[in-house]
Structures are given as C-alpha cells and as structure tokens.
Amino acid sequence: MVLCMHAFWTNDIVKIEEPLQNYEVRHKMKDTSSVSRCNKSSKNLIGYENDNRDKALIIYSEMPKCGSGTFVRILSDVCKYSKHYRTKYTWPTPSPVELQSVESKQKYVSSKILPLRPYIFMGHLSFLDFIELGNKQPLYIDIVRDPVERWISLYYYKRVSPFHIKRLNLTRKERNRTMDNCMKIWISLTGCLGRSIKATADCLKTKPYMGCKDEKIVSSYPTWFSGQYINSSLMSLQRAKTNIEKYYTFIGITEHFEETLKAMETILPSFTNEFTRMFKTTRNQNVGHNKVRPSDDNIDVIKELLSDDYELYGFIRQRFYKHINCLAINITKH
C-alpha cells in the first residue's frame, strides 16, 4: 500500500521576476565544454552515472525558496494516485554537525531513509553521498532559482513565518523592515558605504556581519551541491559541478517550472503526466507575500555577493536547456 504523508511546506510562489531572454544578456552567459552533451537513448546527459543507482529511492534535496512549496505539494498529492512510491516530508533535517562522521550518516540513512523504499524523500537535505556509505546512489532531483530572487523570497518569508519570527525573536518593527533597509544598515555600519558596487561587496565580505538579524547574504548553491555533510574545506564550485553532472538525475529551474515538471515525470521511473496534471489544480493556491524589491544599486551589490551562486546557476541553466532538448520538451515563451 502506498503511504502518502502530507507535511510541512512553505508557501513559495512560482513567479518569473525577469524576462528569461534578458538573463543571458545581463550575465553574459557563454556555453562551456564542461556542460555535458545529450544521450538520447538513456534520457540523461553524458557524464551522468546511470549504473549502480537505487531507482526505488528518489531524493528531492530541496534547495529552499525555489518553488519547493509548490513542488512538495505536487509530489505529496501525486502519491495519492501512484502505486510506486511512498512520500514523506522530513523537517527538520539533520544539521551539518549531526552528520559529520561516516557512522552518523550511515545510521541516519539506514534508519530514516532506506527502510521506506520505494520512497521519495522530501526535505532540505542537500547532497549526501550514498556511495560513501556503501549504498547505491539514489536518484537526486532539485530545483534552483535566480539567486537574487531566491534571497528576496527568503527574506520576506522569514518576516511572516512563525518559526523564523520565534527563532530570530523578531519585533514588529524588525518584521516590517524592507530588505532594502537592511542592506542600507549593513553597508553603513560596516563602513563600506560610498564605494563602487564591486568594492562595496568586497568590503562586506571582509567585515564581521552587522545588520538585520540573520540576513548576511552569502552564496549557498556551491555548499548545497557539494553537500553540507562534509568538511567545509572540501566544499567548492568544482565539487558541486561534479556532483551535479554525475549524480543529479535532473535539476529544474523555477523560471521554467512547467518544463521542469514535464522533465521530472519524463525521466523519473514510473511516472507519466501526473506532475503537470496536478500542477494545474494547485498553481493558484499558493499565497505570496508583499515584497518590496531593493534598489537597483543594492541588487547589484547582492549580485556581487552571490557571484559563486551565479556561476553555478548559469552552469545548471545550460545543463537544463540541453536536458530539456534531449527530452524533446518545448520551452514555453513568457
């Protein structure tokens, strides 16, 4: 019998903040030879390790604030009708400190994940190397988003989430501060005010954080796809890219959410069109929050702070377009 558990999710809103055709122009994206070509027979990109995979285990590693609330709801609802996978939302997931040793990782995987197969794990887990633990690698999936838009979404989500309000002990005044206001406080208190965009960002990186609670802006994607559960000295852009190429069955992007769903149900075993059908019934149910965008200058500073995120995001986007083409899925123009 299929066990379908609905659980905690956030109310992300799937929204395009910028015309997609402008992205490559703004960021001067170039194709690189490191982005794999397509293997049409296997539906995977060349470089992906298809052998020694546990197809009874799908892990949605769930990078926060990239449409995850919508996708979790779709996966949870689909499991009502599918006979192939159990689903369960895991929150909170173990902290990096809790899973530092191989023994602690083995205990967590063997007791909390493997017994539930056939199973779709949903939760903020980041990459965890199952091969290191003596198991087959699961089918990893995730979704990413333009880094600045992700941070804007995350900032305003924390201002309405009871969990984060309590965790940060936010006063009403602090909850009502705009992201722009927090950036101005941070830049002013650090003495980085009055410099060029790049110089301001470089200055902020070298100073102790001063500003609104829990709002230091740093790149997250390299850590996420390197894996939180390794020594921090081993985390790098290259490690993240290698994990993505070898172990991620598919990584979608929020800006092309419908195409992401079509790709997931095409490449993952035992699905047909359930994801896209369910999306049509859930797409208008999420509730967005009032977001006041930072000024153009502050957005430019944030982009400089997130330069590593943008490098990895561009890498993932290039792979996404190649994979979509490989799966014969048309891109919808917005």
Side-chain angles (χ1 to χ4, degrees):
M1 178 180 294
V2 175
L3 173 65
C4 180
M5 299 184 185
H6 291 271
F8 173 88
W9 60 71
T10 61
N11 282 327
D12 294 348
I13 184 167
V14 177
K15 180 180 178 182
I16 295 173
E17 304 285 0
E18 170 190 20
L20 292 173
Q21 62 269 26
N22 293 343
Y23 178 89
E24 282 76 11
V25 175
R26 281 202 310 108
H27 296 284
K28 300 179 181 178
M29 297 303 301
K30 297 179 181 179
D31 195 10
T32 67
S33 58
S34 62
V35 178
S36 300
R37 298 184 306 278
C38 171
N39 185 337
K40 292 186 180 294
S41 61
S42 68
K43 296 183 180 179
N44 296 120
L45 297 181
I46 294 172
Y48 175 77
E49 292 193 355
N50 194 51
D51 296 333
N52 198 33
R53 303 303 283 248
D54 185 351
K55 295 183 180 180
L57 178 59
I58 299 171
I59 291 190
Y60 172 35
S61 53
E62 197 190 1
M63 184 70 208
K65 306 311 295 178
C66 296
S68 57
T70 302
F71 191 48
V72 163
R73 182 174 305 196
I74 289 168
L75 288 174
S76 298
D77 288 346
V78 163
C79 85
K80 291 179 180 179
Y81 309 103
S82 170
K83 302 294 183 182
H84 304 293
Y85 291 95
R86 301 167 182 254
T87 64
K88 177 186 175 185
Y89 193 91
T90 298
W91 187 85
T93 51
S95 70
V97 174
E98 292 177 277
L99 296 188
Q100 275 298 307
S101 69
V102 172
E103 292 76 16
S104 62
K105 296 174 193 176
Q106 286 175 329
K107 182 178 179 181
Y108 180 76
V109 167
S110 62
S111 63
K112 302 295 186 181
I113 298 179
L114 295 180
L116 294 174
R117 294 173 299 172
Y119 177 43
I120 302 177
F121 178 98
M122 304 181 298
H124 300 306
L125 188 66
S126 89
F127 178 76
L128 178 62
D129 192 349
F130 278 62
I131 295 176
E132 175 194 29
L133 309 179
N135 301 297
K136 292 182 177 180
Q137 206 78 287
L139 305 182
Y140 270 105
I141 58 175
D142 214 323
I143 302 172
V144 297
R145 183 181 195 172
D146 179 286
V148 166
E149 304 308 329
R150 192 188 81 83
W151 270 98
I152 293 173
S153 179
L154 180 61
Y155 174 85
Y156 286 104
Y157 170 68
K158 288 178 180 178
R159 269 64 199 160
V160 297
S161 163
F163 171 78
H164 288 292
I165 291 171
K166 182 178 180 180
R167 178 179 69 85
L168 299 172
N169 193 26
L170 295 175
T171 65
R172 182 176 295 276
K173 181 179 179 180
E174 289 169 332
R175 290 167 58 187
N176 289 331
R177 277 183 179 147
T178 65
M179 190 176 183
D180 208 43
N181 186 239
C182 285
M183 285 294 298
K184 290 177 181 177
I185 293 172
W186 183 17
I187 293 171
S188 177
L189 291 179
T190 53
C192 297
L193 188 65
R195 309 181 186 212
S196 67
I197 296 296
K198 188 176 188 310
T200 298
D202 289 342
C203 176
L204 291 173
K205 290 177 182 179
T206 63
K207 302 284 187 178
Y209 176 67
M210 304 171 71
C212 295
K213 294 176 182 176
D214 197 39
E215 295 309 330
K216 183 174 183 179
I217 297 173
V218 295
S219 290
S220 304
Y221 290 164
T223 299
W224 196 254
F225 291 104
S226 288
Q228 296 183 96
Y229 308 109
I230 61 174
N231 189 296
S232 60
S233 65
L234 300 176
M235 296 175 184
S236 67
L237 275 166
Q238 187 52 53
R239 188 184 187 98
K241 289 178 181 179
T242 298
N243 287 341
I244 289 166
E245 283 190 317
K246 293 175 66 175
Y247 302 131
Y248 271 82
T249 305
F250 190 81
I251 299 181
I253 55 175
T254 309
E255 293 88 344
H256 278 311
F257 198 77
E258 284 196 71
E259 292 85 351
T260 292
L261 295 180
K262 290 177 183 177
M264 296 279 196
E265 64 192 10
T266 300
I267 199 170
L268 294 176
S270 305
F271 294 105
T272 51
N273 63 349
E274 295 97 328
F275 292 4
T276 48
R277 284 195 295 109
M278 194 61 65
F279 181 51
K280 292 177 181 177
T281 67
T282 62
R283 61 190 306 173
N284 294 322
Q285 294 181 14
N286 280 343
V287 178
H289 312 299
N290 293 327
K291 303 174 187 177
V292 180
R293 292 182 66 78
S295 67
D296 290 345
D297 283 348
N298 277 335
I299 284 180
D300 287 341
V301 171
I302 296 171
K303 287 175 182 174
E304 288 290 339
L305 292 170
L306 299 178
S307 58
D308 284 349
D309 270 1
Y310 270 107
E311 180 173 339
L312 196 54
Y313 178 62
F315 176 81
I316 292 170
R317 279 180 63 101
Q318 290 178 16
R319 288 181 58 81
F320 173 85
Y321 288 127
K322 289 178 183 292
H323 213 159
I324 288 292
N325 182 63
C326 178
L327 299 174
I329 295 172
N330 293 325
I331 293 288
T332 302
K333 294 182 178 180
H334 299 277

